[in-house]
Amino acid sequence: MSGEQPCPGYGPCSAVVCPNLADSPLGLCSWHGSRYRRDGRPGGAAIPDSWWQRYEKFGKTVPIEYGDQTEFRHWCAAVPAHPWPGQINLRGLRPLVRAEIQWGLFVHTRRARPSRWDLGWIRSLATTCRTLEVNSLIDFEFGTGGSAAFTGAIAKEILHELRLVYFTPQEAKDAGFLETEHFGVLFPHRMSHIDLTGIPQRWLRDLTWDYLADLLRSPRCPRSAGPIDDLRRAAIELGAFLEVEAPGGGHDPAVLREEHAQRFVADQRHREREGLPSLAVKRPDGTASIVTTVTRSVVFNAVRKLMRDALDTGAAEGLGLEREFITVFPTAGATTGRTARRPFPDEVARALADEANLAELSVTYDAHDNGVRDIWETTVTTGRRIGEVIKVRWDCIGRYGGLAMFWHDQTKVGNYDAAIRIPERLYELLAERQRKTLDRFTARYGYRPTGAQRAGLALFPTIYRSQDGTVSLTHQWFYSRLFRPWVDAMDLGHYVPHQARHTLATNLLRNGATLTHIRRYLGQVSPPDPFRVRLAGVKT
């Protein structure tokens, strides 16, 4: 064997995305050779039969015949990569988009609680960019061109990181968007990107951007994105109206008069009264949003804040906005209508606590046993807010002096690590849920969590944004996907989980508890509603 000479190879595979070596004079590896035959041999590339016996054995070059060599080369450039386990193939991508995907993958792994990116989804993103010859993720609109929804979701997360690198705050303002992370702010369950391109007038968009930037820099920066969304909606509504009704589409603020603001106010009230759609605001499914009392109130209050701030800071004078145009916008005050939720009627309470209905909730709507029934029974028994129950940690129960206690955070009132007594049945229910959560953790990660790890685990963990079991399920998931369909299937009417809290307060009043004790027990900011007190038969 020491005297043998190696035969020359056939070079790398002709498929652009393939890192393997060719296994024949045709220039394709074994996998792409099989794929070429399955695809109907585009271009008609072929080598003679018995080519080794007839040519290579005698040191002759094996001839390759083509029906259309250009078509064969095009196939080599477009054919997908061989999906190797644990490998993402970025060959054949444009240099910039390849670097962007690499950067996005790197940043994603450094997040404390990253969302789930399946390996097949990332491969699909690379394949989409390769097929459509994308130069940069910034320039490509995912969701078009046949790309899948999860491909667009990954691209949006990468774009979020890229915008922080590509754009300064001033450049973001010129491009028509705002990044809250430019100001060190990231709201819970929200991306940093705030799109303002829906505001047609440049002066109004810049005015909105400056107001939001000052708000994010100030000590009164909101804890949630609600005020940001309200102001954005209000500016879009005003801009869409001026685009239609004002001279020149409202692009010159100097021509706006008092009558234009009055007509905008009248238009919003008319749309509210008649239940008409908004001029520009869309729902997530793309349909027009309906103007309601709530949205009209939000728009009035937000526009008034924006315009009065422009008047106070001198921005209105610089734009040439008349004072009469600004002072017309009214304050809507608090949203009108009934805001308090009634307790469950007796027949509804019995239906929601019926064993057969609870079994249906567990079997039909919670096939993966995420603990939906346990969440609901804990809410009904303790009267806690639904979010307080969903977010509890694994070690939320314990015995102290022989008494069963339930530990939770009342984040709305700033009362953390609060404890209440619970019945033995609920204690056993939650203890069983603890066992299931630990067993699932062990099955997923291959080891039993330590004591310190157990303290940080969620009792009801999600599988989507939780790489270590510390992220809980969400209120939206519980209500929209489980509780609401369950109640609708029983044809009870419209009810929400929070009414269980009011039902417990009513029962406590009926059994002699004082308002002070109930308020302390439930962690309420405001005193109980007199309507519920009258239901309990207690004089106020």
Side-chain angles (χ1 to χ4, degrees):
M1 294 180 61
S2 62
E4 295 288 342
Q5 296 296 322
C7 295
Y10 303 110
C13 179
S14 297
V16 175
V17 297
C18 186
N20 301 324
L21 296 176
D23 68 348
S24 73
L26 189 60
L28 298 175
C29 66
S30 59
W31 190 87
H32 280 104
S34 299
R35 178 64 183 261
Y36 183 63
R37 291 188 292 272
R38 289 199 306 271
D39 289 349
R41 308 180 68 87
I47 53 179
D49 296 335
S50 304
W51 51 269
W52 185 82
Q53 294 286 345
R54 296 169 57 188
Y55 294 93
E56 280 201 350
K57 186 176 181 179
F58 302 102
K60 297 180 180 180
T61 302
V62 179
I64 304 176
E65 298 179 355
Y66 298 98
D68 186 341
Q69 188 173 3
T70 302
E71 185 179 358
F72 174 73
R73 296 303 175 192
H74 178 74
W75 179 89
C76 291
V79 67
H82 183 198
W84 287 100
Q87 185 183 88
I88 300 171
N89 193 324
L90 300 181
R91 290 171 176 263
L93 292 174
R94 300 290 177 87
L96 180 57
V97 75
R98 181 173 65 245
E100 290 174 344
I101 293 177
Q102 290 173 329
W103 169 253
L105 294 173
F106 168 73
V107 174
H108 182 73
T109 60
R110 297 179 63 86
R111 289 182 178 174
R113 294 176 178 176
S115 60
R116 177 184 175 184
W117 286 6
D118 189 84
L119 193 61
W121 301 350
I122 305 173
R123 288 173 178 160
S124 177
L125 172 63
T127 301
T128 301
C129 293
R130 186 184 297 115
T131 303
L132 300 177
E133 299 182 350
V134 177
N135 291 313
S136 171
L137 296 177
I138 292 290
D139 303 325
F140 184 70
E141 289 292 335
F142 284 86
T144 62
S147 60
F150 52 76
T151 303
I154 294 177
K156 287 180 181 178
E157 287 199 36
I158 297 178
L159 282 173
H160 161 66
E161 303 295 342
L162 291 175
R163 290 191 191 98
L164 299 176
V165 177
Y166 287 165
F167 293 90
T168 65
Q170 183 59 44
E171 290 171 339
K173 179 180 179 180
D174 295 337
F177 65 89
L178 180 142
E179 292 288 340
T180 62
E181 285 197 81
H182 278 153
F183 307 93
V185 177
L186 184 62
F187 297 112
H189 310 297
R190 288 291 298 271
M191 299 297 288
S192 172
H193 185 70
I194 306 296
D195 184 14
L196 301 177
T197 55
I199 307 173
Q201 298 80 14
R202 177 59 188 268
W203 67 269
L204 183 57
R205 184 165 67 241
D206 289 348
L207 198 65
T208 305
W209 195 97
D210 291 336
Y211 181 89
L212 293 178
D214 291 341
L215 185 63
L216 293 172
R217 294 189 189 103
S218 70
R220 55 189 179 91
C221 177
R223 294 185 298 174
S224 70
I228 307 293
D229 293 335
D230 292 346
L231 193 74
R232 175 180 173 273
R233 180 187 181 110
I236 290 175
E237 290 276 15
L238 177 60
F241 179 84
L242 295 178
E243 181 79 11
V244 176
E245 297 291 339
H251 292 276
D252 182 6
V255 302
L256 298 179
R257 299 292 181 264
E258 179 181 357
E259 63 180 272
H260 301 125
Q262 290 174 342
R263 286 161 58 190
F264 171 73
V265 172
D267 179 74
Q268 284 289 303
R269 294 191 185 278
H270 171 70
R271 292 178 183 275
E272 172 199 356
R273 184 175 62 255
E274 302 297 332
L276 298 177
S278 165
L279 284 174
V281 179
K282 305 291 184 182
R283 295 192 179 105
D285 60 1
T287 60
S289 174
I290 302 299
V291 178
T292 64
T293 301
V294 174
T295 61
R296 188 266 307 158
S297 176
V298 164
V299 168
F300 280 5
N301 286 330
V303 169
R304 181 180 175 87
K305 287 180 182 178
L306 178 64
M307 292 300 166
R308 290 303 178 105
D309 181 78
L311 190 64
D312 294 340
T313 59
E317 183 178 357
L319 292 171
L321 272 176
E322 288 191 352
R323 180 183 179 87
E324 290 74 14
F325 175 82
I326 295 175
T327 56
V328 166
F329 295 106
T331 176
T335 303
T336 59
R338 297 178 180 177
T339 57
R341 294 286 185 181
R342 299 177 181 178
F344 290 131
D346 291 345
E347 62 275 10
V348 173
R350 284 192 293 267
L352 296 179
D354 182 74
E355 180 62 30
N357 293 334
L358 291 175
E360 181 72 11
L361 172 64
S362 181
V363 174
T364 304
Y365 299 95
D366 190 19
H368 298 290
D369 193 18
N370 290 311
V372 173
R373 176 172 176 173
D374 296 345
I375 293 172
W376 176 239
E377 291 200 42
T378 303
T379 301
V380 171
T381 304
T382 63
R384 302 301 97 181
R385 300 176 181 89
I386 190 67
E388 295 172 355
V389 175
I390 293 176
K391 300 297 182 183
V392 294
R393 300 289 91 189
W394 181 88
D395 57 352
C396 63
I397 57 173
R399 292 189 182 276
Y400 302 86
L403 300 177
M405 304 293 287
F406 176 71
W407 296 85
H408 61 288
D409 293 335
Q410 298 173 346
T411 53
K412 184 175 181 179
V413 294
N415 187 14
Y416 294 93
D417 215 18
I420 58 171
R421 287 187 59 182
I422 56 175
E424 285 296 325
R425 179 183 176 280
L426 180 59
Y427 183 89
E428 296 299 330
L429 188 74
L430 295 178
E432 177 64 16
R433 177 52 53 182
Q434 283 183 326
R435 183 192 64 78
K436 292 180 179 180
T437 301
L438 279 187
D439 290 345
R440 289 186 174 186
F441 184 96
T442 304
R444 181 174 184 180
Y445 300 104
Y447 68 94
R448 203 75 170 173
T450 64
Q453 286 179 308
R454 289 197 299 271
L457 292 179
L459 184 61
F460 306 103
T462 179
I463 62 173
Y464 295 105
R465 297 184 65 90
S466 180
Q467 301 299 320
D468 53 3
T470 59
V471 182
S472 302
L473 299 169
T474 63
H475 178 275
Q476 181 181 6
W477 176 86
F478 175 84
Y479 176 70
S480 300
R481 297 185 58 182
L482 301 168
F483 183 84
R484 185 173 180 179
W486 179 53
V487 174
D488 290 344
M490 291 185 284
D491 195 23
L492 298 175
H494 180 70
Y495 294 97
V496 297
H498 195 75
Q499 290 174 263
R501 179 176 172 86
H502 297 173
T503 303
L504 179 64
T506 299
N507 291 335
L508 291 174
L509 283 166
R510 185 177 291 112
N511 286 276
T514 66
L515 295 180
T516 301
H517 285 128
I518 293 175
R519 182 179 181 183
R520 181 177 179 182
Y521 176 76
L522 296 180
Q524 288 182 321
V525 178
S526 56
D529 185 12
F531 170 73
R532 294 192 291 275
V533 175
R534 289 195 295 272
L535 277 180
V538 181
K539 294 182 178 179
T540 59

